[in-house]
Amino acid sequence: MLILNPQDKNVLEGRAKAETSSCTDTTDSSNNNALHDHHQRAYNVPSAKTYSQHSERTWPVTVSHRQKTPILSREELHDSVKGLWDLIEENSEVRSLFTQMLQQVPTAPPYDKSPTGGPRLRNWMELLCAFNDQLAQGPVWLYDTPGQQGLIGFPFNALLNWSMSTPAGLLVLHRPDVNAHLCDILTAYGNFLCSPASTTVLNSSPTGWLSPTALDAIVSTAYLPTTTTSTSSEPDPGSRRTDTTAESDPQPRPHPQFHDLFVSNPLHPTHGFTSWEDFFTRRFRPGIRPMASPSDDGVIVSACESTPVALERGVKLHNEFWVKGQPYSLVTILGGLQSARRGDSDTDLREAMRFEGGTIYQGFLGALSYHRWHAPVSGVVEKVRKIQGTYFAGCPGLVARQSRHSGEGQQQGVDEEEDEQQLDPSAPDRSQRYLCQMGTRALVYIRARDRRLGTVVFVAVGMAEVSSCEVTVREGYTVEKGEEIGMFHYGGSTHCLIFEPGVRLKFPEAAEEVDIVKRRGHNLNLPVNGYLAEVVSR
């Protein structure tokens, strides 16, 4: 359950309207039935029986790809979708919240369509049938508009994007019972993406991930500048520089092709990839991402191919991470909320106290990035932990502001204050700091070989339908800097490095001035295994 202060909680519940507060008994079937009838009359939502009698309509499956799909009855749904359907049907509070989160989305443009251009969903039954359709389809390549680019590879996220940022969406998508069913649905989707059938989207058609446009976008992402001072539009992704200052190349190198960067076979119809998942977790060819300062254990390398999001020093043990600024709360990041539910929070508190007053660096991985993790330092793996969290929930401090915006007049170039009042077109991207504390995540503690660094914690956070964090090292294992330690599956994600207090670190400008870099509109990429920071003293 999300923990909010009383004032925030009252505001959000008030915006979720009156019906939710009246649904206090979710175990009384007669009370639920009466409330269900009232709910259908009040909101004109068809019952499952009425719903299944409709002939067909257009569904926003595979992001904004429109396809006519027969309306399904509950019995025709995948078992994982049936579970969520039954929860919504049987629990009037959940049903009310699902209905309201769709109705609370403004009706004016751009909210009359999904960010990817798909039609607006009318009710929760449409939403679940769209989920069901997506379970047997890989994500198609649609990259023509900013909305499609922001949600590329995230079909489930596209279906929920506007509604997850409403007050009712915030409440329902933080519920453990809802997230348990979303986990089942996403697990089923992941099973399909690991199957040979998912290679149907690995083709060279305009909507295929092996089209010239798609492959060029993936290569261009790897070629993004590494610093705001770069004068070269195409920094060498195989550069052996140990800092992030990209100098002008008097003889620009030719733009590489996809198969030059990644292990693949361009002569094979699917480039040799056996599934969508195999394509997503593709590997760089040897030498493409060399390690910075391999003989210097005091140099920390980038654990992921990513864009800097935040750098915060003096991190607090406890903080109000749900407010607009999304400050880091160490106890929460390291699993304190989950342990408290089990009545075992002392261990996590002691663990978090080791890092109180320390430093956190965070970076974001887009869907087109390389998604394997590498050890930021050499040392011994002290601890590995996986934490189950939310999947599609955003930051409450942003939702409260965004819900006031009607949607009219959204334009390019709006100032920061106005932009924050609009719903996130690529939700939950604006909630990345918050997600480190509430999202599904994996923690890897590494006791560094360089004693000045103490223990460094790598935090992998799955966003939206990613939320699958695979750790490939175990406790007691000795890792070398740059060695692979795990990977994300199925989509974009974010990650953190946590350092102990007293560890003085020097970061590059891209990390130190991350807020200024954002305001200037720079889009940077810190290559995996490249220079991230170095220890100055302790």
Side-chain angles (χ1 to χ4, degrees):
M1 178 178 291
L2 175 66
I3 298 178
L4 300 174
N5 63 44
Q7 183 178 2
D8 288 339
K9 190 172 188 293
N10 290 337
V11 169
L12 288 167
E13 290 182 342
R15 286 183 176 166
K17 297 187 180 178
E19 189 174 19
T20 301
S21 62
S22 68
C23 303
T24 55
D25 184 356
T26 59
T27 59
D28 185 336
S29 59
S30 61
N31 184 42
N32 280 349
N33 290 336
L35 286 169
H36 186 198
D37 292 341
H38 166 71
H39 166 80
Q40 289 181 330
R41 289 194 301 271
Y43 292 108
N44 194 28
V45 178
S47 67
K49 181 177 180 181
T50 303
Y51 181 76
S52 64
Q53 292 172 348
H54 289 283
S55 56
E56 61 178 26
R57 70 171 300 230
T58 301
W59 296 101
V61 296
T62 55
V63 194
S64 64
H65 181 59
R66 299 186 179 213
Q67 172 181 319
K68 283 197 170 182
T69 303
I71 298 302
L72 302 176
S73 65
R74 177 198 174 281
E75 290 70 26
E76 298 175 276
L77 299 172
H78 188 276
D79 286 346
S80 63
V81 181
K82 283 181 184 177
L84 182 55
W85 183 291
D86 291 344
L87 174 67
I88 297 173
E89 280 274 279
E90 296 166 6
N91 188 313
S92 53
E93 181 177 358
V94 174
R95 185 168 61 253
S96 176
L97 288 172
F98 264 95
T99 298
Q100 290 175 55
M101 82 170 186
L102 294 168
Q103 292 185 339
Q104 286 172 355
V105 176
T107 56
Y111 308 123
D112 56 334
K113 295 181 179 180
S114 76
T116 58
R120 179 174 175 148
L121 296 168
R122 298 178 304 175
N123 54 61
W124 65 264
M125 297 178 189
E126 289 187 358
L127 176 65
L128 265 58
C129 281
F131 281 179
N132 194 79
D133 292 336
Q134 188 59 56
L135 287 178
Q137 304 181 55
V140 300
W141 174 263
L142 289 170
Y143 208 65
D144 297 326
T145 68
Q148 292 172 354
Q149 292 168 11
L151 292 172
I152 188 69
F154 287 89
F156 286 89
N157 201 130
L159 293 168
L160 284 167
N161 191 84
W162 296 135
S163 55
M164 76 170 77
S165 295
T166 63
L170 171 72
L171 292 171
V172 76
L173 293 173
H174 276 94
R175 290 179 61 106
D177 51 359
V178 170
N179 278 290
H181 287 292
L182 289 174
C183 179
D184 292 340
I185 293 171
L186 296 178
T187 298
Y189 182 55
N191 290 338
F192 173 78
L193 295 183
C194 289
S195 72
S198 64
T199 59
T200 55
V201 296
L202 300 181
N203 60 70
S204 59
S205 73
T207 57
W209 283 80
L210 302 180
S211 65
T213 302
L215 296 181
D216 183 69
I218 292 171
V219 171
S220 296
T221 298
Y223 258 61
L224 285 171
T226 59
T227 174
T228 59
T229 60
S230 174
T231 57
S232 171
S233 61
E234 293 184 354
D236 181 4
S239 171
R240 293 184 178 272
R241 297 185 183 97
T242 58
D243 57 35
T244 57
T245 301
E247 299 174 356
S248 178
D249 190 340
Q251 295 181 339
R253 293 174 172 82
H255 197 67
Q257 298 185 56
F258 178 86
H259 62 267
D260 295 323
L261 298 182
F262 299 99
V263 177
S264 58
N265 178 7
L267 301 180
H268 190 276
T270 64
H271 283 214
F273 297 109
T274 59
S275 65
W276 159 261
E277 160 64 9
D278 189 29
F279 169 77
F280 182 78
T281 56
R282 57 193 174 271
R283 297 177 183 272
F284 278 118
R285 290 195 181 277
I288 293 299
R289 287 294 187 256
M291 183 169 56
S293 303
S295 61
D296 187 348
D297 288 336
V299 171
I300 300 104
V301 298
S302 182
C304 296
E305 189 93 357
S306 56
T307 299
V309 169
L311 177 63
E312 186 172 313
R313 293 182 171 88
V315 181
K316 295 181 179 180
L317 194 62
H318 297 278
N319 216 331
E320 297 180 337
F321 60 90
W322 55 85
V323 300
K324 175 191 168 187
Q326 303 171 58
Y328 295 113
S329 174
L330 282 168
V331 170
T332 315
I333 295 174
L334 300 179
L337 288 181
Q338 288 75 10
S339 299
R341 295 188 190 114
R342 301 193 309 267
D344 180 29
S345 58
D346 290 345
T347 301
D348 288 315
L349 179 60
R350 288 193 299 269
E351 197 75 68
M353 289 175 67
R354 295 170 59 190
F355 301 93
E356 184 178 9
T359 301
I360 291 183
Y361 164 79
Q362 183 175 354
F364 168 69
L365 298 76
L368 306 186
S369 298
Y370 170 83
H371 275 80
R372 293 175 181 266
W373 324 326
H374 294 246
V377 297
S378 297
V380 177
V381 177
E382 284 186 336
K383 180 179 178 181
V384 173
R385 182 181 181 186
K386 294 183 180 179
I387 301 173
Q388 199 71 25
T390 62
Y391 295 96
F392 298 100
C395 174
L398 295 180
V399 172
R401 295 168 59 80
Q402 292 164 346
S403 64
R404 297 198 303 262
H405 188 71
S406 68
E408 297 177 354
Q410 184 179 26
Q411 299 174 354
Q412 296 292 329
V414 295
D415 62 34
E416 184 177 359
E417 182 73 14
E418 181 181 351
D419 184 60
E420 287 176 353
Q421 294 182 19
Q422 299 172 351
L423 299 181
D424 188 348
S426 301
D429 280 6
R430 295 178 185 166
S431 300
Q432 287 191 50
R433 291 166 62 111
Y434 176 79
L435 291 176
C436 292
Q437 297 155 104
M438 292 301 294
T440 295
R441 55 202 183 275
L443 314 178
V444 181
Y445 293 70
I446 302 174
R447 186 173 69 252
R449 184 178 297 155
D450 188 321
R451 295 184 178 181
R452 294 175 298 170
L453 286 167
T455 294
V456 179
V457 185
F458 169 78
V459 184
V461 186
M463 294 174 60
E465 51 245 60
V466 188
S467 298
S468 180
C469 305
E470 179 185 358
V471 181
T472 56
V473 294
R474 62 184 183 276
E475 294 176 5
Y477 184 81
T478 298
V479 295
E480 297 298 325
K481 182 169 63 175
E483 182 179 346
E484 184 179 308
I485 60 173
M487 70 197 77
F488 291 113
H489 297 282
Y490 322 132
S493 23
T494 193
H495 78 289
C496 288
L497 293 178
I498 305 178
F499 300 91
E500 294 180 1
V503 179
R504 294 184 58 195
L505 297 167
K506 175 186 176 182
F507 285 85
E509 180 192 27
E512 290 282 5
E513 306 293 342
V514 62
D515 291 334
I516 295 175
V517 170
K518 288 179 185 177
R519 286 197 292 270
R520 290 175 179 171
H522 293 292
N523 193 11
L524 306 180
N525 177 56
L526 297 189
V528 66
N529 290 339
Y531 176 93
L532 176 65
E534 59 187 281
V535 61
V536 177
S537 65
R538 183 180 177 109

